[in-house]
Amino acid sequence: NKPGGALSPDLVFEPLLDITARVFCNVDHPLAQKDQATREDLAAARWIVVDQTHARENHDAMFAETAASPEPVVVTNSLNMIRALLAQDDFLALLPEHLMRAQVASGVLTALDVPGFVVQRKSGLMYRAGAPRAAATDRLVAHIRKINHPALAS
């Protein structure tokens, strides 16, 4: 993930993927039955938060205009645990769409419509300017460019 703020002048960040995160829950969750979820609805819910700085910052930003940011009930880096808890109980989690496609397609989970809140960020390769990269790294980057940004493929 692209770090927030300015990078050191000796570092280069090359964006390779655009990531959009949404609020997910199981299809039987009470909020899944609403056309739109309000910040107040979300603040009253039980949350799972990914144990990474940017995930906590995004979670807190969602509630910046409400009285308080709800404390997460579960904090973990285990995607399998997050998927299982979402499917089996009334939790919410803010997660990248591409990580939840299979669960949404199978009808287990759904993304909530939260007006005015979209998390979009860049993921990519960060390296020292002028530093050599391994040939395998260059092949992987070229493959990702080809898939995600054909115009950038070299």
Side-chain angles (χ1 to χ4, degrees):
N1 294 312
K2 182 178 182 185
L7 291 178
S8 171
D10 66 326
L11 293 177
V12 175
F13 178 80
E14 180 179 348
L16 297 173
L17 303 170
D18 296 317
I19 298 175
T20 300
R22 308 238 349 240
V23 177
F24 289 91
C25 64
N26 72 56
V27 295
D28 295 323
H29 191 289
L31 293 181
Q33 313 315 310
K34 296 181 79 168
D35 290 334
Q36 294 182 336
T38 67
R39 302 292 166 103
E40 290 74 23
D41 292 332
L42 300 179
R46 297 185 313 149
W47 281 87
I48 303 167
V49 176
V50 176
D51 192 14
Q52 294 182 9
T53 302
H54 72 275
R56 184 57 191 237
E57 289 170 352
N58 290 335
H59 173 82
D60 291 346
M62 188 175 351
F63 299 102
E65 296 175 12
T66 60
S69 177
E71 283 300 311
V73 175
V74 178
V75 178
T76 181
N77 278 327
S78 171
L79 186 56
N80 286 335
M81 178 185 286
I82 293 170
R83 287 175 173 152
L85 288 171
L86 286 173
Q88 296 170 14
D89 208 339
D90 285 342
F91 284 105
L92 301 180
L94 180 63
L95 299 164
E97 288 179 320
H98 70 278
L99 296 179
M100 307 310 288
R101 282 190 191 121
Q103 289 71 29
V104 171
S106 69
V108 174
L109 300 181
T110 189
L112 298 179
D113 181 13
V114 183
F117 187 77
V118 176
V119 175
Q120 293 184 316
R121 59 184 208 277
K122 302 277 185 192
S123 184
L125 180 65
M126 188 171 9
Y127 53 90
R128 295 213 178 274
R133 292 194 312 226
T137 301
D138 288 335
R139 286 192 302 273
L140 175 62
V141 170
H143 182 71
I144 293 171
R145 282 185 194 130
K146 181 179 176 184
I147 292 169
N148 292 297
H149 302 284
L152 298 178
S154 53

